[in-house]
Amino acid sequence: MRGARIVALALGALIVAVAVEAQVGSTRYALNGATYAVPHKYEFTRNFRLPWLEGLQGLDKEPDESVWLLLPASEVARDIPSYSRMFHGYSSEVEADMVVNVLGGKEAAEFPQDRSRFERMVAEAIASGEGPEDEKLTGWERVYSMRGTEGTPGMGHSSFFLLPKGGLKELPAEWLPPMCQSSPDINGRETYHCAYTIFQDGLTFDFSLRQVNLGVAPRIPDYVMSRLKEWRS
């Protein structure tokens, strides 16, 4: 019996240790010569790991200088007062947690080529005649690459770029044109999100914002760097 109790206690201690490690442990990441010990609770790939996806053939390995962060909506809203903690999803209000991929090294250095490629994509969309159309939340314009059929069930999905009124020449040199996807909610009203890539301090920041939070996009790189600096080791 004593041996069984010892085994049970050891097993219990191991379970507690694993649970504590999952909450307070960290993983070290290197970005452009700096090392960051990111707590597990902020690691997107740890909290949303998909083993079946990792085993698929043909998927490229993640770059060495890369970190995926999961930043809770409550913390982002605390630190960026204009950030809306909730957004309207398909049928209800949902917390707007933020996922950010920070890239350094060779991947980040390829930003100029990526910018040129996206400019060609925008030019093709403009040539097709799908826009521009005012985007009320940002004061920018939509240039559609694919427009859904509004009012037709399942056909309201659209894809578009966001550009300043003056076009590509007015877009900050450190930005790729934001790419947006829209779809109807359960009542047929439009909901959408936009994917941003911003180059700053030798790093690229890839993230997505729901429509209510588009206005904070320029503030995200500085905010993410302030969080990373908390974990610099």
Side-chain angles (χ1 to χ4, degrees):
M1 290 295 293
R2 184 178 180 185
R5 287 200 301 271
I6 292 175
V7 171
L9 286 172
L11 180 59
L14 177 61
I15 292 173
V16 170
V18 170
V20 169
E21 195 273 343
Q23 291 298 315
V24 302
S26 63
T27 303
R28 294 168 68 88
Y29 293 90
L31 294 170
N32 289 5
T35 303
Y36 305 93
V38 178
H40 291 334
K41 67 173 290 188
Y42 296 106
E43 289 182 82
F44 175 74
T45 49
R46 178 176 291 271
N47 288 283
F48 291 91
R49 181 171 172 265
L50 300 175
W52 61 268
L53 184 61
E54 296 170 7
L56 292 181
Q57 296 295 318
L59 291 182
D60 293 333
K61 179 181 179 294
E62 274 295 303
D64 290 334
E65 297 196 61
S66 171
V67 55
W68 284 89
L69 300 176
L70 173 64
L71 302 172
S74 58
E75 296 185 19
V76 182
R78 176 198 65 199
D79 298 330
I80 304 179
S82 52
Y83 186 86
S84 175
R85 179 175 176 174
M86 308 296 290
F87 71 89
H88 181 69
Y90 178 70
S91 60
S92 62
E93 296 296 306
V94 183
E95 282 206 312
D97 295 335
M98 182 184 297
V99 176
V100 185
N101 182 210
V102 187
L103 284 168
K106 179 182 176 182
E107 297 289 328
E110 292 177 350
F111 177 84
Q113 297 95 299
D114 292 338
R115 167 83 181 216
S116 296
R117 180 168 57 87
F118 269 74
E119 287 179 349
R120 291 194 295 272
M121 293 168 62
V122 172
E124 291 172 1
I126 293 174
S128 73
E130 293 291 330
E133 176 183 296
D134 286 343
E135 204 292 310
K136 297 177 182 178
L137 290 174
T138 61
W140 286 17
E141 293 180 330
R142 300 183 181 192
V143 175
Y144 283 88
S145 56
M146 189 275 288
R147 190 192 294 267
T149 304
E150 302 298 335
T152 302
M155 296 297 291
H157 300 265
S158 298
S159 302
F160 56 90
F161 295 99
L162 276 184
L163 293 176
K165 294 284 188 180
L168 277 170
K169 67 179 183 296
E170 300 296 330
L171 186 72
E174 301 80 15
W175 288 41
L176 296 186
M179 295 183 65
C180 308
Q181 301 286 330
S182 73
S183 60
D185 69 3
I186 194 171
N187 297 312
R189 294 176 299 181
E190 182 187 48
T191 66
Y192 61 97
H193 66 278
C194 297
Y196 291 80
T197 296
I198 298 178
F199 181 73
Q200 183 173 305
D201 299 326
L203 300 169
T204 57
F205 300 81
D206 295 312
F207 56 93
S208 180
L209 294 174
R210 301 298 305 194
Q211 60 203 75
V212 293
N213 286 317
L214 299 186
V216 306
R219 302 177 62 182
I220 299 305
D222 283 339
Y223 172 67
V224 172
M225 283 307 304
S226 72
R227 301 306 306 269
L228 284 172
K229 287 176 182 177
E230 297 174 12
W231 308 319
R232 186 159 182 170
S233 60

